[in-house]
Amino acid sequence: TDLKALYTLTSLTEKGFLQTVSGRGSELRFRMLVVLRDVAQVIGRKSIDLEAVKNEHAAFFLEFSEKRSADLTAEDAPLALNELRREHDNIRSALRWTIDHDPDKAARIAAAVRHFWTIHGHSKEGRKWLESALAAAPDTALSVRLEILTGLGNMAQFNGEHDAARVWYEKCFEESKASGDQWNLARALRGIGAIDYM
């Protein structure tokens, strides 16, 4: 129950096993030392449903990533970027799990985090995640697929790989045109134009 979880968290914090971290507004987050986390995982495998925990973790960070991604175009952008930076390892962990166990979720997480990777200088890492997610979920929702394609174009462009960027932008252009998605069609054309201008 929620009350039992609260008592457990309080007890672990008082004993020094967890550290509290302030989140957005009144949100309170908890961190565990890496050594303790590794030991807990070994013990946990024998007593808990690890797959269920991983699924819950991935679901949480999918929602987290999509919400923070939406904030990147608002006045809360600096706060959202900082929160994404702070939770980057959790996002990586969620991606590792979902690519093998829930590819559609992996594609949504990767699509949501693509701007963070570009802004924070993780474009090479981000490109690998986007490519892996796309390969794992080739039939994901078209809107997610188009976001991944433009993200791949952006990251290749920022890495100076203009030929690769053109391939991704043109793929996005073709699929956007075929589906009638004017927004992503415009983004693809903008990317192709930027490559032609260089």
Side-chain angles (χ1 to χ4, degrees), residues 7 22 26 41 55 65 82 125-126 132 139 150-151 190 195:
Y7 285 142
S22 297
S26 61
Q41 285 181 340
N55 283 333
S65 298
N82 189 49
E125 177 187 359
S132 296
D139 298 321
T150 54
R190 183 183 63 187
I195 295 297

Side-chain angles (χ1 to χ4, degrees), residues 119-186:
I119 294 166
H120 260 268
H122 298 289
S123 57
K124 288 186 179 178
E125 177 187 359
R127 185 175 171 189
K128 288 177 183 176
W129 284 122
L130 288 169
E131 287 175 343
S132 296
L134 189 61
D139 298 321
T140 193
L142 181 64
S143 60
V144 175
R145 181 177 171 80
L146 294 175
E147 287 176 355
I148 289 176
L149 291 175
T150 54
L152 284 165
N154 291 155
M155 289 179 193
Q157 181 182 344
F158 290 136
N159 289 336
E161 301 170 62
H162 298 149
D163 289 342
R166 177 182 290 281
V167 169
W168 291 118
Y169 285 138
E170 287 180 350
K171 196 165 189 60
C172 182
F173 171 81
E174 291 164 7
E175 295 189 21
S176 298
K177 186 177 180 181
S179 65
D181 187 324
Q182 297 298 312
W183 171 249
N184 281 297
L185 182 68

Side-chain angles (χ1 to χ4, degrees), residues 2-36:
D2 290 342
L3 195 55
K4 183 179 179 182
L6 180 61
Y7 285 142
T8 302
L9 287 171
T10 302
S11 176
L12 290 171
T13 304
E14 288 173 350
K15 291 178 174 71
F17 293 129
L18 294 178
Q19 297 173 328
T20 57
V21 180
S22 297
R24 184 177 294 216
S26 61
E27 182 184 67
L28 193 62
R29 306 295 298 278
F30 295 90
R31 283 208 171 140
M32 182 179 285
L33 297 173
V34 174
V35 174
L36 293 175

